Each structure stands twice: as structure tokens, then as C-alpha cells.
Amino acid sequence: MGIYLRGKSWYYDFVHHGARYVGSFGPVPRSVAKEELARKKAAVLETRLNPAKARKSPRLDTFADDYLTWAHANCKPLTVHRAQRTLARFTAFVGPTKRLNEVTPWNFEQWKRTRKEAGKAPGTINTELLTLKSIFAKAKAWGKLSEHPGASVKLLQNPRQKIRFLSEDEEVRLLAVCSPALRRVVHVGLLTGFRRQELISLRLEDVDMNDGTVSVAACYAKNGESRTLPIGPRLRAVLQDALTASGSAATVLVNALGLPWSRNTLGGQFRAACQAAGIGSLGLHVLRHTFASRLTMAGVDLKTTQELMGHKSIEMTLRYAHLSPQHRRSAMETLEARFSAPSPATFHNTPSPTPAREAEKQTAA
């Protein structure tokens, strides 16, 4: 029979080798019920083929511990942090005692809805979904799961928003309310375009005052590739001040206590400073947006901007190929000042009559 609807719930009913299997999927969409039916049949088939080798699927919390142990040894710190945070939330949501093979596509859909109701942005929800998809794909690859429950779950539509960057006035107001420790981070972020993880992970050996360069280690870069930027006079002064303040710390940028910044502490203090400056509740990534936007407005070509930003593809850099309204207005004023002669009334390509031609016409007349 397959699946059928009774009231608001979907039920399944099928026979395999003389044994009848019936049950309910609950009030789920029809597409989810069909996927669950396929999972049920696959589970029955696997048990029939390998009854002696049939293993009980691990609990979600147990697998989470195993996965994070593997991730610590094989992934970048930022990836581990994201996986740990997402797994903790998802495990608490579906229940830590639930087994891997009991997680359904409907659990993923409910997770999406709950996160959206919590006010999370589509981009944030999609990042969490991709993290969960990757984790469950690894469970399937390790033989702990026969079917990936989130394989068919779609990401949310995420319209590209206008990129926010700081004006010069906003920069002045922000720096005025920052503590000395936070002010150093803001300066370095504006002058290098480093991401948050790259800023808090900047080590003493990454700064070479003799060669005049500052580098991002590959293990802390988002794309896994190191990059090196030249140090200008303003950035040199900021880094020298930061190196003096860091003392014996392992990182260049430290908090007010002389300790390395944590992601959450730095993000929270920066957001509070933005609110105090009256420029809105902004995340630290606005410094990176500002760096790229100012490069563009200064006339730096996109290829150079791509290299300085550490983008693998030019498509990412094109997101920053925009100008501020003031810059556009200035460009239009320059255009009008350069080509200010009025256009002929007859046709825009008709050359204006010269005095010599006018004299010829009068003589001929």
C-alpha cells in the first residue's frame, strides 16, 4: 500500500517477505513521508540481508563526541568551533538519546523553522544546515548511518543584501568609544581586512617589521591558504603599539587584561561599541567590508583586491565592487564638468557648427 493520509498524519503500510510493517510518520509533508517510507524499507532490507551483522546505530550525543574528536585532529579551529556549537544545539533540539538512524528529514525541517522563528538570518541558518549536512555525510561514510536524513533538505533563499561598510565619520565615532585594546583591533581590521579569526589568531611571528609585512597563517585562514600584506606607516604604528601591549602573550592583539581575545568577547565588545557610537548593531566583519570598499573607491583593480582579501574566486571580490553614494555623486559631477557643452538639438552625434562654416554659409547666400 505504501503511504496514506488519515486526518493530518501520514501512515505507512507495506509487506516484505510475508511480514507486514505499519506505523505513523505524524503530521509531516507528503514528500517527507515518502522519504521516510524509503528509509523504512531500506532498514528492513538491510536487516534481512545482514541479520548477524546488523548493528545498533549510535546515539546522537555519542556520535557527536566521536566526530568532534576527529575534527580536532583534522579540521581548522574555526571549523571545529562551528561544528561543536551547531551539534550542541541540534542535539539538544532533537534529543541527545535519539539514535542517528532515528533522525529524519522532518527533524531538519523543524530545526530550520525553529531557528528562523528565533530571528536568525537566512545566511546563518544555511551555514548551520551545511555544517549538519557535512557531519551526517561523514557518519554515512563511516558506516554509522545507511541513509543521510538531511540530503534532500533545501537551504533557505538568501537574497544578497547591500554590503554595509563604515564611512569616515562613522570610523571616527567608533574609535572614539573604543577601549585602547579594542581600538587596536579596529585599526588592524580596517587596514588589513582580516577576518575575526585571523585577527585574534595573529601571532608574533606573523609580523615582520624588518620586511614590512604581516601574514595570515594557513591554519587560521578561511580558505586554508596563507597570505601576506605589506605594512603601511599607519599600520606599522598600530602594530608596534600592539606588540608593546601584548607583553608575553602568544598573540599580537590582546584584551584589556593582556590575554588573547576570544571570538565571543571580541564580537560582543565590538557590537556594544557600535551601538554606543550610534551606528547600529554591527558585527566585526564590517571592518573587512570597509577595507575592500575603500580599496575599490581608491581605484585599486579587482585582481589586486582579490589577492589582498584572500578570495579564491573573483566572484567573491565582485561583491565589494561598489561605491558609496558620495563617490558616485562625485563621479557624475566630474563627468558633467568634463563634458559640459550642450548637445545639439537635432541629433546627439551632429557636430556643433563652427564660426568658419557659419561665415561660409553667409557668403554663399
Side-chain angles (χ1 to χ4, degrees):
M1 181 180 292
I3 59 173
Y4 60 92
L5 185 65
R6 179 185 294 171
K8 295 183 178 181
S9 297
W10 283 95
Y11 291 81
Y12 64 92
D13 187 346
F14 65 93
V15 177
H16 181 76
H17 280 227
R20 186 180 182 187
Y21 299 86
V22 295
S24 171
F25 296 129
V28 300
R30 184 174 186 274
S31 59
V32 174
K34 292 177 66 176
E35 292 174 1
E36 285 302 296
L37 176 64
R39 285 164 54 86
K40 290 286 185 183
K41 290 183 175 180
V44 171
L45 183 63
E46 288 175 0
T47 302
R48 181 183 67 83
L49 291 175
N50 297 293
K53 295 182 179 180
R55 293 180 298 175
K56 189 176 281 188
S57 182
R59 285 177 27 155
L60 187 55
D61 55 356
T62 302
F63 172 75
D65 293 336
D66 293 340
Y67 177 84
L68 291 174
T69 300
W70 172 86
H72 276 289
N74 294 276
C75 302
K76 294 182 295 184
L78 181 59
T79 303
V80 176
H81 174 78
R82 183 182 297 120
Q84 189 171 17
R85 182 180 55 191
T86 304
L87 267 175
R89 289 173 178 163
F90 187 75
T91 301
F93 176 74
V94 301
T97 60
K98 185 183 284 289
R99 299 194 177 276
L100 277 180
N101 62 356
E102 296 174 345
V103 178
T104 67
W106 184 238
N107 291 139
F108 277 80
E109 295 293 349
Q110 288 177 313
W111 166 259
K112 282 169 52 178
R113 185 197 65 195
T114 302
R115 297 297 284 162
K116 189 174 182 179
E117 291 174 350
K120 300 302 177 183
T124 300
I125 299 173
N126 287 343
T127 299
E128 294 175 344
L129 276 175
L130 289 172
T131 300
L132 289 172
K133 282 172 172 278
S134 175
I135 292 171
F136 275 83
K138 186 63 69 176
K140 183 178 179 181
W142 289 343
K144 298 180 180 293
L145 194 60
S146 59
E147 295 293 333
H148 191 322
S152 62
V153 177
K154 296 182 179 180
L155 302 178
L156 294 174
Q157 291 187 351
N158 187 21
R160 182 171 293 178
Q161 302 292 328
K162 181 180 179 181
I163 292 178
R164 176 74 160 88
F165 59 94
L166 299 178
S167 66
E168 293 184 31
D169 176 66
E170 288 175 329
E171 176 187 349
V172 172
R173 287 155 55 191
L174 174 61
L175 291 172
V177 299
C178 288
S179 65
L182 184 58
R183 191 178 301 120
R184 286 189 285 268
V185 175
V186 173
H187 275 304
V188 175
L190 288 171
L191 296 172
T192 63
F194 286 176
R195 301 176 179 90
R196 175 168 54 174
Q197 186 65 34
E198 296 168 347
L199 287 169
I200 65 178
S201 304
L202 190 64
R203 304 165 300 178
L204 304 181
E205 57 266 33
D206 296 328
V207 179
D208 191 332
M209 289 296 189
N210 295 326
D211 288 342
T213 59
V214 58
S215 303
V216 174
C219 60
Y220 297 115
K222 183 179 180 180
N223 61 7
E225 296 179 359
S226 62
R227 70 181 186 278
T228 301
L229 278 69
I231 297 176
R234 183 180 166 192
L235 180 58
R236 178 182 290 272
V238 174
L239 289 175
Q240 286 176 337
D241 179 45
L243 289 170
T244 301
S246 65
S248 58
T251 58
V252 175
L253 298 170
V254 295
N255 59 24
L257 300 177
L259 302 173
W261 286 96
S262 69
R263 287 177 54 86
N264 292 339
T265 301
L266 178 57
Q269 289 195 19
F270 180 81
R271 195 174 296 276
C274 289
Q275 291 174 334
I279 60 177
S281 180
L282 303 177
L284 202 71
H285 211 71
V286 72
L287 302 180
R288 182 169 168 83
H289 292 328
T290 304
F291 173 76
S293 299
R294 289 179 177 179
L295 287 175
T296 303
M297 289 186 285
V300 178
D301 62 276
L302 289 178
K303 183 61 178 176
T304 301
T305 302
Q306 177 189 0
E307 295 173 355
L308 293 175
M309 293 289 286
H311 289 153
K312 278 194 172 183
S313 65
I314 195 67
E315 284 75 17
M316 287 296 296
T317 313
L318 288 173
R319 297 170 59 235
Y320 299 92
H322 61 280
L323 302 174
S324 68
Q326 293 82 359
H327 218 76
R328 290 195 187 100
R329 188 175 297 110
S330 176
M332 294 303 296
E333 290 173 355
T334 301
L335 176 68
E336 292 183 3
R338 173 67 179 82
F339 301 99
S340 58
S343 299
T346 55
F347 188 66
H348 67 279
N349 280 334
T350 304
S352 300
T354 61
R357 286 188 177 180
E358 290 293 334
E360 290 177 2
K361 289 181 179 179
Q362 293 176 1
T363 303

